[in-house]
Amino acid sequence: MEMTRKYFFSDMGVMLGRSMRHIARSMDTIITVTITPVAMLLLFVYVLGGAIETGTDHYVNYLLPGILLIAIASGISYTAYRLYMDMRSGIFERFHSMPIARSAALWGHVLTSLVSNAISVTIIILAALLMGFRSPAGVVSWLAVAGILALFTLALTWIAVIAGLSAQSVDGAGAFSYPLIFLPFISSAFVPTDTMPRAVRIFAENQPVTSIVEAIRALLSGQAAGSGIWSALAWCLGILIGAYLLAMRVYKRKAA
């Protein structure tokens, strides 16, 4: 037991490398988590952006936070898929029969989601800079944005873990992500909520994506985030803690 605890981080590193190699060899994953969000950025800025009134000079500045959240929501569906395939192939049982930390395989998938989404988000921000995105934000504000995006990624990833461990089919493992991908479209990610019908506006203004988008947008524009940043953190941490506890409960039952 002491030996497995001692080598927990090295075991987890091996699992991280294994999952990252799977991503690097999956063109479908690369297209979905990187190329598609960049294509959406191009579409909304250069085709639809001229018809959308947001009160900003450059629509890409308004749009970028929402595109980042959609990219993360798209990426975590592959975490559920890879977990489901590992469970079905019996590789988890094989890992558990070896002298490695039992949770290392699971944490390898979680860290893979965090690293791969960080790479995807970086590429999308670089594309936005080429399209004219500019931010007066300082180092602290950028670190705050990175922290919110990391928490958002972890929160959705642990939801993906639940789906991957519980799914009865490949389609079921990925289906949970569709509402998460669609949620930014009913928020302030693309247009201000005051243009929406009353019932839709009430939902949009009180769902987590709007709070997170508004906090990131304020930080990147150099404005005071105010209470918005605490609302965004509360949503991320609340979902993260709830999903983590449920995911670990499911994992222990499956691994028993």
PDB file of all heavy atoms in Angstrom, residues 3-18 95 98-108 111:
ATOM      1  N   MET A   3       3.804   1.482  -1.116  1.00  0.00           N
ATOM      2  CA  MET A   3       4.482   1.583  -2.406  1.00  0.00           C
ATOM      3  C   MET A   3       3.577   2.241  -3.442  1.00  0.00           C
ATOM      4  O   MET A   3       4.008   3.103  -4.209  1.00  0.00           O
ATOM      5  CB  MET A   3       4.889   0.185  -2.879  1.00  0.00           C
ATOM      6  CG  MET A   3       5.737   0.182  -4.145  1.00  0.00           C
ATOM      7  SD  MET A   3       7.340   0.954  -3.867  1.00  0.00           S
ATOM      8  CE  MET A   3       8.112  -0.309  -2.854  1.00  0.00           C
ATOM      9  N   THR A   4       2.274   1.816  -3.473  1.00  0.00           N
ATOM     10  CA  THR A   4       1.368   2.393  -4.453  1.00  0.00           C
ATOM     11  C   THR A   4       1.119   3.866  -4.178  1.00  0.00           C
ATOM     12  O   THR A   4       0.980   4.665  -5.093  1.00  0.00           O
ATOM     13  CB  THR A   4       0.027   1.650  -4.462  1.00  0.00           C
ATOM     14  OG1 THR A   4      -0.550   1.689  -3.161  1.00  0.00           O
ATOM     15  CG2 THR A   4       0.223   0.213  -4.901  1.00  0.00           C
ATOM     16  N   ARG A   5       1.065   4.243  -2.880  1.00  0.00           N
ATOM     17  CA  ARG A   5       0.891   5.656  -2.561  1.00  0.00           C
ATOM     18  C   ARG A   5       2.127   6.449  -2.968  1.00  0.00           C
ATOM     19  O   ARG A   5       2.030   7.560  -3.461  1.00  0.00           O
ATOM     20  CB  ARG A   5       0.647   5.808  -1.052  1.00  0.00           C
ATOM     21  CG  ARG A   5      -0.733   5.337  -0.603  1.00  0.00           C
ATOM     22  CD  ARG A   5      -0.891   5.448   0.894  1.00  0.00           C
ATOM     23  NE  ARG A   5      -2.213   5.022   1.320  1.00  0.00           N
ATOM     24  CZ  ARG A   5      -2.575   4.886   2.596  1.00  0.00           C
ATOM     25  NH1 ARG A   5      -1.695   5.142   3.564  1.00  0.00           N
ATOM     26  NH2 ARG A   5      -3.792   4.503   2.906  1.00  0.00           N
ATOM     27  N   LYS A   6       3.302   5.862  -2.748  1.00  0.00           N
ATOM     28  CA  LYS A   6       4.549   6.553  -3.069  1.00  0.00           C
ATOM     29  C   LYS A   6       4.628   6.875  -4.543  1.00  0.00           C
ATOM     30  O   LYS A   6       5.129   7.924  -4.947  1.00  0.00           O
ATOM     31  CB  LYS A   6       5.731   5.677  -2.648  1.00  0.00           C
ATOM     32  CG  LYS A   6       7.088   6.314  -2.900  1.00  0.00           C
ATOM     33  CD  LYS A   6       8.193   5.392  -2.420  1.00  0.00           C
ATOM     34  CE  LYS A   6       9.572   6.013  -2.690  1.00  0.00           C
ATOM     35  NZ  LYS A   6      10.645   5.106  -2.220  1.00  0.00           N
ATOM     36  N   TYR A   7       4.144   5.939  -5.386  1.00  0.00           N
ATOM     37  CA  TYR A   7       4.267   6.119  -6.821  1.00  0.00           C
ATOM     38  C   TYR A   7       2.961   6.584  -7.465  1.00  0.00           C
ATOM     39  O   TYR A   7       2.784   6.431  -8.665  1.00  0.00           O
ATOM     40  CB  TYR A   7       4.728   4.809  -7.464  1.00  0.00           C
ATOM     41  CG  TYR A   7       6.142   4.445  -7.079  1.00  0.00           C
ATOM     42  CD1 TYR A   7       6.389   3.418  -6.171  1.00  0.00           C
ATOM     43  CD2 TYR A   7       7.221   5.139  -7.612  1.00  0.00           C
ATOM     44  CE1 TYR A   7       7.683   3.091  -5.812  1.00  0.00           C
ATOM     45  CE2 TYR A   7       8.521   4.823  -7.257  1.00  0.00           C
ATOM     46  CZ  TYR A   7       8.739   3.796  -6.352  1.00  0.00           C
ATOM     47  OH  TYR A   7      10.019   3.485  -5.999  1.00  0.00           O
ATOM     48  N   PHE A   8       2.037   7.138  -6.661  1.00  0.00           N
ATOM     49  CA  PHE A   8       0.752   7.578  -7.195  1.00  0.00           C
ATOM     50  C   PHE A   8       0.929   8.584  -8.322  1.00  0.00           C
ATOM     51  O   PHE A   8       0.326   8.459  -9.390  1.00  0.00           O
ATOM     52  CB  PHE A   8      -0.110   8.187  -6.085  1.00  0.00           C
ATOM     53  CG  PHE A   8      -1.381   8.825  -6.600  1.00  0.00           C
ATOM     54  CD1 PHE A   8      -2.456   8.049  -6.997  1.00  0.00           C
ATOM     55  CD2 PHE A   8      -1.481  10.206  -6.711  1.00  0.00           C
ATOM     56  CE1 PHE A   8      -3.619   8.631  -7.480  1.00  0.00           C
ATOM     57  CE2 PHE A   8      -2.643  10.799  -7.200  1.00  0.00           C
ATOM     58  CZ  PHE A   8      -3.707  10.003  -7.581  1.00  0.00           C
ATOM     59  N   PHE A   9       1.782   9.594  -8.102  1.00  0.00           N
ATOM     60  CA  PHE A   9       1.930  10.648  -9.101  1.00  0.00           C
ATOM     61  C   PHE A   9       2.623  10.133 -10.366  1.00  0.00           C
ATOM     62  O   PHE A   9       2.279  10.543 -11.478  1.00  0.00           O
ATOM     63  CB  PHE A   9       2.678  11.838  -8.509  1.00  0.00           C
ATOM     64  CG  PHE A   9       1.882  12.574  -7.470  1.00  0.00           C
ATOM     65  CD1 PHE A   9       2.165  12.417  -6.117  1.00  0.00           C
ATOM     66  CD2 PHE A   9       0.832  13.392  -7.830  1.00  0.00           C
ATOM     67  CE1 PHE A   9       1.426  13.084  -5.157  1.00  0.00           C
ATOM     68  CE2 PHE A   9       0.077  14.062  -6.870  1.00  0.00           C
ATOM     69  CZ  PHE A   9       0.371  13.891  -5.535  1.00  0.00           C
ATOM     70  N   SER A  10       3.613   9.240 -10.195  1.00  0.00           N
ATOM     71  CA  SER A  10       4.254   8.682 -11.392  1.00  0.00           C
ATOM     72  C   SER A  10       3.279   7.772 -12.138  1.00  0.00           C
ATOM     73  O   SER A  10       3.253   7.768 -13.377  1.00  0.00           O
ATOM     74  CB  SER A  10       5.516   7.914 -11.012  1.00  0.00           C
ATOM     75  OG  SER A  10       5.204   6.840 -10.135  1.00  0.00           O
ATOM     76  N   ASP A  11       2.444   7.008 -11.406  1.00  0.00           N
ATOM     77  CA  ASP A  11       1.415   6.182 -12.054  1.00  0.00           C
ATOM     78  C   ASP A  11       0.429   7.055 -12.818  1.00  0.00           C
ATOM     79  O   ASP A  11       0.052   6.758 -13.956  1.00  0.00           O
ATOM     80  CB  ASP A  11       0.651   5.370 -11.002  1.00  0.00           C
ATOM     81  CG  ASP A  11       1.521   4.319 -10.338  1.00  0.00           C
ATOM     82  OD1 ASP A  11       2.574   3.986 -10.914  1.00  0.00           O
ATOM     83  OD2 ASP A  11       1.157   3.860  -9.246  1.00  0.00           O
ATOM     84  N   MET A  12       0.022   8.145 -12.176  1.00  0.00           N
ATOM     85  CA  MET A  12      -0.925   9.056 -12.811  1.00  0.00           C
ATOM     86  C   MET A  12      -0.301   9.700 -14.051  1.00  0.00           C
ATOM     87  O   MET A  12      -0.977   9.896 -15.072  1.00  0.00           O
ATOM     88  CB  MET A  12      -1.350  10.148 -11.814  1.00  0.00           C
ATOM     89  CG  MET A  12      -2.514  10.993 -12.267  1.00  0.00           C
ATOM     90  SD  MET A  12      -3.134  12.021 -10.917  1.00  0.00           S
ATOM     91  CE  MET A  12      -1.655  12.914 -10.435  1.00  0.00           C
ATOM     92  N   GLY A  13       1.007   9.994 -13.982  1.00  0.00           N
ATOM     93  CA  GLY A  13       1.694  10.568 -15.132  1.00  0.00           C
ATOM     94  C   GLY A  13       1.702   9.605 -16.310  1.00  0.00           C
ATOM     95  O   GLY A  13       1.542  10.012 -17.467  1.00  0.00           O
ATOM     96  N   VAL A  14       1.893   8.315 -16.011  1.00  0.00           N
ATOM     97  CA  VAL A  14       1.876   7.301 -17.077  1.00  0.00           C
ATOM     98  C   VAL A  14       0.489   7.243 -17.724  1.00  0.00           C
ATOM     99  O   VAL A  14       0.361   7.178 -18.949  1.00  0.00           O
ATOM    100  CB  VAL A  14       2.265   5.927 -16.502  1.00  0.00           C
ATOM    101  CG1 VAL A  14       2.042   4.830 -17.553  1.00  0.00           C
ATOM    102  CG2 VAL A  14       3.720   5.935 -16.056  1.00  0.00           C
ATOM    103  N   MET A  15      -0.557   7.293 -16.879  1.00  0.00           N
ATOM    104  CA  MET A  15      -1.926   7.255 -17.411  1.00  0.00           C
ATOM    105  C   MET A  15      -2.236   8.513 -18.220  1.00  0.00           C
ATOM    106  O   MET A  15      -2.932   8.452 -19.243  1.00  0.00           O
ATOM    107  CB  MET A  15      -2.938   7.113 -16.259  1.00  0.00           C
ATOM    108  CG  MET A  15      -2.800   5.830 -15.483  1.00  0.00           C
ATOM    109  SD  MET A  15      -3.041   4.389 -16.532  1.00  0.00           S
ATOM    110  CE  MET A  15      -2.541   3.077 -15.394  1.00  0.00           C
ATOM    111  N   LEU A  16      -1.728   9.646 -17.765  1.00  0.00           N
ATOM    112  CA  LEU A  16      -1.904  10.895 -18.513  1.00  0.00           C
ATOM    113  C   LEU A  16      -1.260  10.781 -19.895  1.00  0.00           C
ATOM    114  O   LEU A  16      -1.861  11.147 -20.907  1.00  0.00           O
ATOM    115  CB  LEU A  16      -1.301  12.060 -17.726  1.00  0.00           C
ATOM    116  CG  LEU A  16      -1.178  13.400 -18.460  1.00  0.00           C
ATOM    117  CD1 LEU A  16      -2.551  13.941 -18.838  1.00  0.00           C
ATOM    118  CD2 LEU A  16      -0.423  14.420 -17.592  1.00  0.00           C
ATOM    119  N   GLY A  17      -0.026  10.257 -19.929  1.00  0.00           N
ATOM    120  CA  GLY A  17       0.659  10.089 -21.213  1.00  0.00           C
ATOM    121  C   GLY A  17      -0.089   9.148 -22.138  1.00  0.00           C
ATOM    122  O   GLY A  17      -0.195   9.402 -23.346  1.00  0.00           O
ATOM    123  N   ARG A  18      -0.645   8.076 -21.555  1.00  0.00           N
ATOM    124  CA  ARG A  18      -1.414   7.110 -22.365  1.00  0.00           C
ATOM    125  C   ARG A  18      -2.622   7.776 -23.012  1.00  0.00           C
ATOM    126  O   ARG A  18      -2.857   7.634 -24.220  1.00  0.00           O
ATOM    127  CB  ARG A  18      -1.865   5.960 -21.467  1.00  0.00           C
ATOM    128  CG  ARG A  18      -2.884   5.030 -22.081  1.00  0.00           C
ATOM    129  CD  ARG A  18      -3.262   3.923 -21.105  1.00  0.00           C
ATOM    130  NE  ARG A  18      -4.332   3.084 -21.631  1.00  0.00           N
ATOM    131  CZ  ARG A  18      -5.620   3.305 -21.417  1.00  0.00           C
ATOM    132  NH1 ARG A  18      -6.012   4.342 -20.684  1.00  0.00           N
ATOM    133  NH2 ARG A  18      -6.533   2.505 -21.943  1.00  0.00           N
ATOM    134  N   PHE A  95      -5.537  -2.882 -14.883  1.00  0.00           N
ATOM    135  CA  PHE A  95      -4.760  -1.922 -14.088  1.00  0.00           C
ATOM    136  C   PHE A  95      -4.882  -2.235 -12.599  1.00  0.00           C
ATOM    137  O   PHE A  95      -3.906  -2.143 -11.853  1.00  0.00           O
ATOM    138  CB  PHE A  95      -5.248  -0.496 -14.361  1.00  0.00           C
ATOM    139  CG  PHE A  95      -4.882   0.032 -15.727  1.00  0.00           C
ATOM    140  CD1 PHE A  95      -5.729   0.920 -16.392  1.00  0.00           C
ATOM    141  CD2 PHE A  95      -3.702  -0.338 -16.340  1.00  0.00           C
ATOM    142  CE1 PHE A  95      -5.388   1.409 -17.645  1.00  0.00           C
ATOM    143  CE2 PHE A  95      -3.352   0.145 -17.606  1.00  0.00           C
ATOM    144  CZ  PHE A  95      -4.206   1.014 -18.257  1.00  0.00           C
ATOM    145  N   MET A  98      -2.625  -4.762 -11.098  1.00  0.00           N
ATOM    146  CA  MET A  98      -1.205  -4.412 -11.081  1.00  0.00           C
ATOM    147  C   MET A  98      -0.892  -3.568  -9.845  1.00  0.00           C
ATOM    148  O   MET A  98      -1.794  -2.955  -9.260  1.00  0.00           O
ATOM    149  CB  MET A  98      -0.857  -3.646 -12.370  1.00  0.00           C
ATOM    150  CG  MET A  98      -1.144  -4.430 -13.654  1.00  0.00           C
ATOM    151  SD  MET A  98      -1.058  -3.426 -15.148  1.00  0.00           S
ATOM    152  CE  MET A  98       0.706  -3.122 -15.237  1.00  0.00           C
ATOM    153  N   PRO A  99       0.360  -3.516  -9.422  1.00  0.00           N
ATOM    154  CA  PRO A  99       0.740  -2.749  -8.223  1.00  0.00           C
ATOM    155  C   PRO A  99       0.806  -1.246  -8.474  1.00  0.00           C
ATOM    156  O   PRO A  99       1.874  -0.627  -8.379  1.00  0.00           O
ATOM    157  CB  PRO A  99       2.113  -3.331  -7.874  1.00  0.00           C
ATOM    158  CG  PRO A  99       2.687  -3.739  -9.187  1.00  0.00           C
ATOM    159  CD  PRO A  99       1.518  -4.254  -9.996  1.00  0.00           C
ATOM    160  N   ILE A 100      -0.343  -0.674  -8.836  1.00  0.00           N
ATOM    161  CA  ILE A 100      -0.426   0.777  -9.038  1.00  0.00           C
ATOM    162  C   ILE A 100      -1.607   1.311  -8.244  1.00  0.00           C
ATOM    163  O   ILE A 100      -2.496   0.555  -7.860  1.00  0.00           O
ATOM    164  CB  ILE A 100      -0.599   1.141 -10.539  1.00  0.00           C
ATOM    165  CG1 ILE A 100      -1.909   0.551 -11.073  1.00  0.00           C
ATOM    166  CG2 ILE A 100       0.578   0.656 -11.350  1.00  0.00           C
ATOM    167  CD1 ILE A 100      -2.216   0.969 -12.501  1.00  0.00           C
ATOM    168  N   ALA A 101      -1.605   2.602  -7.984  1.00  0.00           N
ATOM    169  CA  ALA A 101      -2.707   3.227  -7.247  1.00  0.00           C
ATOM    170  C   ALA A 101      -4.010   3.008  -8.008  1.00  0.00           C
ATOM    171  O   ALA A 101      -4.070   3.231  -9.218  1.00  0.00           O
ATOM    172  CB  ALA A 101      -2.440   4.712  -7.064  1.00  0.00           C
ATOM    173  N   ARG A 102      -5.069   2.571  -7.311  1.00  0.00           N
ATOM    174  CA  ARG A 102      -6.324   2.202  -7.988  1.00  0.00           C
ATOM    175  C   ARG A 102      -6.968   3.391  -8.692  1.00  0.00           C
ATOM    176  O   ARG A 102      -7.627   3.235  -9.715  1.00  0.00           O
ATOM    177  CB  ARG A 102      -7.302   1.613  -6.971  1.00  0.00           C
ATOM    178  CG  ARG A 102      -6.850   0.282  -6.412  1.00  0.00           C
ATOM    179  CD  ARG A 102      -7.828  -0.221  -5.371  1.00  0.00           C
ATOM    180  NE  ARG A 102      -9.132  -0.565  -5.940  1.00  0.00           N
ATOM    181  CZ  ARG A 102      -9.407  -1.739  -6.484  1.00  0.00           C
ATOM    182  NH1 ARG A 102      -8.465  -2.664  -6.556  1.00  0.00           N
ATOM    183  NH2 ARG A 102     -10.604  -1.990  -6.959  1.00  0.00           N
ATOM    184  N   SER A 103      -6.801   4.593  -8.140  1.00  0.00           N
ATOM    185  CA  SER A 103      -7.459   5.752  -8.743  1.00  0.00           C
ATOM    186  C   SER A 103      -6.594   6.437  -9.805  1.00  0.00           C
ATOM    187  O   SER A 103      -7.028   7.407 -10.420  1.00  0.00           O
ATOM    188  CB  SER A 103      -7.836   6.772  -7.665  1.00  0.00           C
ATOM    189  OG  SER A 103      -6.676   7.220  -6.985  1.00  0.00           O
ATOM    190  N   ALA A 104      -5.357   5.939 -10.030  1.00  0.00           N
ATOM    191  CA  ALA A 104      -4.455   6.608 -10.982  1.00  0.00           C
ATOM    192  C   ALA A 104      -5.044   6.621 -12.393  1.00  0.00           C
ATOM    193  O   ALA A 104      -4.908   7.616 -13.117  1.00  0.00           O
ATOM    194  CB  ALA A 104      -3.094   5.920 -10.982  1.00  0.00           C
ATOM    195  N   ALA A 105      -5.683   5.505 -12.787  1.00  0.00           N
ATOM    196  CA  ALA A 105      -6.259   5.446 -14.135  1.00  0.00           C
ATOM    197  C   ALA A 105      -7.348   6.494 -14.313  1.00  0.00           C
ATOM    198  O   ALA A 105      -7.441   7.158 -15.358  1.00  0.00           O
ATOM    199  CB  ALA A 105      -6.817   4.052 -14.399  1.00  0.00           C
ATOM    200  N   LEU A 106      -8.190   6.663 -13.280  1.00  0.00           N
ATOM    201  CA  LEU A 106      -9.272   7.646 -13.366  1.00  0.00           C
ATOM    202  C   LEU A 106      -8.717   9.067 -13.407  1.00  0.00           C
ATOM    203  O   LEU A 106      -9.131   9.882 -14.239  1.00  0.00           O
ATOM    204  CB  LEU A 106     -10.202   7.486 -12.164  1.00  0.00           C
ATOM    205  CG  LEU A 106     -11.443   8.386 -12.142  1.00  0.00           C
ATOM    206  CD1 LEU A 106     -12.339   8.077 -13.334  1.00  0.00           C
ATOM    207  CD2 LEU A 106     -12.205   8.186 -10.839  1.00  0.00           C
ATOM    208  N   TRP A 107      -7.749   9.352 -12.525  1.00  0.00           N
ATOM    209  CA  TRP A 107      -7.161  10.690 -12.513  1.00  0.00           C
ATOM    210  C   TRP A 107      -6.386  10.978 -13.803  1.00  0.00           C
ATOM    211  O   TRP A 107      -6.257  12.132 -14.225  1.00  0.00           O
ATOM    212  CB  TRP A 107      -6.250  10.850 -11.298  1.00  0.00           C
ATOM    213  CG  TRP A 107      -7.011  11.210 -10.060  1.00  0.00           C
ATOM    214  CD1 TRP A 107      -7.370  10.377  -9.035  1.00  0.00           C
ATOM    215  CD2 TRP A 107      -7.539  12.497  -9.728  1.00  0.00           C
ATOM    216  NE1 TRP A 107      -8.078  11.061  -8.084  1.00  0.00           N
ATOM    217  CE2 TRP A 107      -8.199  12.362  -8.479  1.00  0.00           C
ATOM    218  CE3 TRP A 107      -7.527  13.731 -10.356  1.00  0.00           C
ATOM    219  CZ2 TRP A 107      -8.834  13.436  -7.856  1.00  0.00           C
ATOM    220  CZ3 TRP A 107      -8.158  14.804  -9.730  1.00  0.00           C
ATOM    221  CH2 TRP A 107      -8.797  14.647  -8.512  1.00  0.00           C
ATOM    222  N   GLY A 108      -5.863   9.928 -14.434  1.00  0.00           N
ATOM    223  CA  GLY A 108      -5.192  10.122 -15.718  1.00  0.00           C
ATOM    224  C   GLY A 108      -6.143  10.694 -16.748  1.00  0.00           C
ATOM    225  O   GLY A 108      -5.798  11.611 -17.510  1.00  0.00           O
ATOM    226  N   LEU A 111      -6.935  14.468 -15.726  1.00  0.00           N
ATOM    227  CA  LEU A 111      -5.849  15.389 -16.071  1.00  0.00           C
ATOM    228  C   LEU A 111      -5.699  15.538 -17.578  1.00  0.00           C
ATOM    229  O   LEU A 111      -5.356  16.614 -18.074  1.00  0.00           O
ATOM    230  CB  LEU A 111      -4.533  14.896 -15.458  1.00  0.00           C
ATOM    231  CG  LEU A 111      -4.408  15.040 -13.949  1.00  0.00           C
ATOM    232  CD1 LEU A 111      -3.046  14.572 -13.476  1.00  0.00           C
ATOM    233  CD2 LEU A 111      -4.630  16.492 -13.522  1.00  0.00           C
TER     234      LEU A 111
END
